[in-house]
Amino acid sequence: MSGRRKVVAGNWKMNHGPAAAAEFFEGLGMPPSGPRVMIFPPAIALPAAVAAVGAHGGVDLGVQNLHEAESGAFTGEISAAMAIEAGAVAALVGHSERRHVFGESDARIAAKAVRAAGSGLEPVVCVGETRGERRAGRRQEVLHRQIDAALEVLAPGTAFLVAYEPVWAIGTGETATPADAAEAHAILRARLAAAHGESAAQVPILYGGSVKPGNAAELMAAQGVDGVLVGGASLKAADFRAIIEAALP
Ligand code: PGA
């Protein structure tokens, strides 16, 4: 056993404003103790989420993205300091939609990871190959390139998480098999250990991509899978709670 605590994280993407966020947490109630539970609401719903969680406790909140600069003329962006002030403790960086829809490069994502970590937010560094890259047998090469960019700039001992999210499994209903996820996680775990040594053993590696109540337990039981990052199925409190329950021993 790794000794790492399981993590169940929800990424709401561009869903759930303040009112829906409050309603979600009311429905979720106090999560069962054991796994670390995290939710990444839209930044504008963060204060409502903080207020709602304040009553229930037990959920760490984060932002889905941040700008790498400290502050300045970046219309539409949010900074790490603002996210922290609003109650975030973590930040997704390099989510597949940021990479492929918004064109963020490995270097930019690394800069965001550094800004987050340097400001006191735990970065969740998201990596994953596209279908084309997978078909071309390039999964390992892509994972190495994406994770190395972050590992080069994050100091060993930094608190961060990694999420393996194969792009072809995100929002498609298709998931990696547990064996497939285990293979990718082993690739990432080896890279973490090579770059950061012993401290890397603390870093959780989550699986993401069409995780649902019905497949969460078997994915979380796969070798090296320390938890899940859930998109669509994190929007409904009952489904998300069922996934948290699937993480219980
Ligand atoms: P999905 O999204 O669970 O809807 O596939 C996962 C993610 O993008 O984090």
Side-chain angles (χ1 to χ4, degrees):
M1 292 308 283
S2 68
R4 286 182 295 274
R5 186 180 172 201
K6 284 272 189 276
V7 179
V8 177
N11 168 19
W12 287 353
K13 310 190 180 186
M14 200 170 73
N15 299 288
H16 287 354
E23 202 179 304
F24 172 91
F25 286 108
E26 202 175 304
L28 182 69
M30 178 69 182
S33 62
R36 180 181 189 191
V37 178
M38 307 176 85
I39 291 276
F40 296 84
I44 203 158
L46 192 55
V50 168
V53 167
H56 299 303
V59 181
D60 287 338
L61 295 164
V63 286
Q64 300 171 8
N65 182 34
L66 77 168
H67 196 276
E68 63 272 28
E70 196 175 339
S71 64
F74 300 103
T75 301
E77 296 291 304
I78 60 165
S79 74
M82 290 169 192
I84 291 170
E85 188 185 338
V89 299
L92 299 181
V93 296
H95 185 274
S96 122
E97 285 138 30
R98 299 303 316 175
R99 290 178 188 271
H100 300 291
V101 182
F102 298 98
E104 291 185 7
S105 64
D106 291 326
R108 185 116 204 250
I109 291 157
K112 291 182 180 213
V114 167
R115 173 61 65 189
S119 309
L121 287 172
E122 277 177 82
V124 181
V125 180
C126 305
V127 298
E129 81 285 0
T130 63
R131 193 184 300 277
E133 288 163 342
R134 180 184 181 79
R135 285 207 181 118
R138 294 181 49 222
R139 176 175 70 176
Q140 174 159 316
E141 170 205 327
V142 170
L143 293 182
H144 281 175
R145 193 196 76 228
Q146 293 180 342
I147 198 66
D148 286 356
L151 291 173
E152 272 162 25
V153 294
L154 290 172
T158 302
F160 69 102
L161 299 86
V162 174
Y164 168 61
E165 298 201 301
V167 180
W168 48 269
I170 297 180
T172 59
E174 237 181 292
T175 49
T177 62
D180 219 19
E183 220 176 272
H185 282 231
I187 292 171
L188 292 165
R189 177 64 59 198
R191 214 61 174 184
L192 285 172
H196 282 191
E198 261 180 42
S199 67
Q202 304 306 316
V203 176
I205 307 180
L206 317 184
Y207 168 80
S210 297
V211 175
K212 297 178 195 65
N215 61 21
E218 64 164 1
L219 284 162
M220 278 190 275
Q223 182 76 33
V225 175
D226 300 315
V228 285
L229 178 55
V230 187
S234 73
L235 294 173
K236 284 199 187 130
D239 288 351
F240 192 62
R241 193 171 176 99
I243 295 172
I244 299 168
E245 278 161 7
L248 297 173

